[in-house]
């Protein structure tokens, strides 16, 4: 993109002690208003086919498996945290038939930007007056994309996120997850909608970007690209479950929410977020559900990959704003 500039910050830049740090908020308190007032607002792709999903609905359509063998007849948000980290929450259905819970048309946002699928908001307090506000978006299916007309990288379950870092209640940086990495921008550099940062969610892969258009990734010669545009607007503040995460004890607690998500989480609690296993199927053997694998760029790419870990596996305690901290570039313009 023309005119892009960036600055590489040290791993501790945004975790330096701040003399005027506010009193730390108790982790059971409601989500602070400044977190909602500065929450990203997102455009889904205008041709999206796999819409946001409610994680509580998702678990009703899966069974916990290891090595493709069930270890329990069912799972709920009350029982999932008791499962081991090698568990795959596996679809009861043949996913190639694309059942309704996979496409999740019910999660399509309405004219106000409200989706029936609650966003998961997780707040993490850190030293120096830092508060990281994570906005997690869940989808029951990820469509990976095509390379030279061949489809790769589909999987059941898809957790993506954006994060705003606040210092003394002031937003400073926006991070956007995308595939194996992500991008970060100073808060002031981002496009705004009514004062809130505006993001663009790629069709199928649900990767997050700061600008609309085509975004090529991971492979040379623009072989693999995401598409984004100003499709339907999704406002996470209208329907969300809210939580605090204590990085010292690695525990979650309920902070309250809004919409259906706020109603649901009263009975659900917060322990389900501690599940360290995978929120989708294990990568299928070749031929199962039409699975195929092709050597590509020194690795093997398959039609179906394994499902992802959940929020607890996304480095909530990070020091830099980036999920992968070894290289964190914060860009100062779009």
């Amino acid at each position: 993109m023309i005119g892009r500039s960036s600055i590489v910050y040290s791993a501790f830049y945004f975790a330096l002690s701040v003399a005027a740090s506010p009193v730390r908020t108790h982790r059971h308190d409601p989500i602070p208003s400044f977190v909602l007032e500065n929450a990203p607002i997102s455009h889904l792709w205008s041709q999206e086919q796999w819409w946001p999903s409610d994680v509580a609905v998702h678990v009703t359509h899966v069974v916990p498996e290891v090595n493709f063998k069930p270890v329990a007849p069912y799972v709920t948000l009350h029982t999932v945290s008791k499962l081991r980290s090698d568990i795959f929450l596996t679809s009861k259905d043949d996913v190639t038939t694309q059942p309704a819970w996979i496409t999740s048309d019910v999660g399509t946002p309405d004219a106000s930007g409200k989706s029936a699928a609650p966003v998961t908001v997780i707040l993490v307090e850190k030293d120096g007056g830092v508060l990281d506000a994570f906005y997690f978006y869940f989808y029951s299916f990820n469509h990976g994309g095509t390379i030279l007309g061949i489809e790769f990288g589909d999987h059941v379950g898809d957790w993506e996120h954006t994060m705003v870092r606040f210092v003394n209640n002031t937003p400073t940086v926006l991070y956007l997850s995308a595939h194996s990495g992500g991008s970060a921008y100073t808060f002031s550099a981002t496009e705004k909608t009514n004062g809130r940062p505006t993001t663009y969610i790629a069709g199928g892969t649900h990767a997050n970007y700061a600008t609309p258009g085509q975004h090529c990734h991971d492979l040379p010669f623009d072989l693999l690209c995401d598409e984004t545009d100003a499709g339907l607007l999704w406002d996470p503040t209208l329907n969300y479950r809210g939580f605090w995460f204590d990085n010292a004890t690695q525990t979650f607690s309920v902070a309250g929410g809004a919409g259906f998500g706020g109603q649901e989480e009263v009975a659900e609690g917060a322990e389900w977020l501690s599940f360290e296993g995978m929120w989708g199927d294990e990568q299928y053997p070749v031929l199962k559900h039409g699975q195929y694998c092709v050597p590509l760029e020194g690795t093997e790419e398959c039609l179906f990959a394994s499902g992802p870990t959940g929020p607890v596996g996304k480095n909530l305690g990070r020091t830099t704003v980036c999920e992968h901290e070894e290289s964190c570039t914060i860009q100062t313009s779009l």
Side-chain angles (χ1 to χ4, degrees), residues 109 124 126 132 191:
V124 188
K126 297 171 183 179
D132 284 348
E191 179 186 334

Side-chain angles (χ1 to χ4, degrees), residues 30-108:
I31 303 291
S33 59
F34 64 83
V35 169
L36 302 176
E37 292 164 0
N38 294 285
I41 190 164
S42 302
H43 286 281
L44 290 151
W45 192 39
S46 59
Q47 299 178 54
E48 184 59 75
Q49 299 178 58
W50 297 277
W51 298 96
S53 304
D54 185 343
V55 67
V57 174
H58 181 81
V59 296
T60 67
H61 294 280
V62 298
V63 292
E65 292 188 355
V66 175
N67 296 324
F68 304 101
K69 295 180 180 179
V71 297
Y74 64 90
V75 64
T76 70
L77 290 188
H78 293 290
T79 63
V80 70
S81 65
K82 299 177 176 63
L83 298 174
R84 305 192 311 260
S85 61
D86 60 348
I87 294 291
F88 289 84
L89 300 184
T90 304
S91 171
K92 298 176 184 177
D93 301 305
D94 178 350
V95 298
T96 63
T97 67
Q98 294 288 284
W101 67 274
I102 285 282
T103 56
S104 191
D105 289 349
V106 296
T108 306

Side-chain angles (χ1 to χ4, degrees), residues 19 84 131 135 161 169 180 279 298 333:
R84 305 192 311 260
L131 177 71
Y135 309 86
H161 70 277
N169 302 350
S180 58
W279 288 84
S333 67

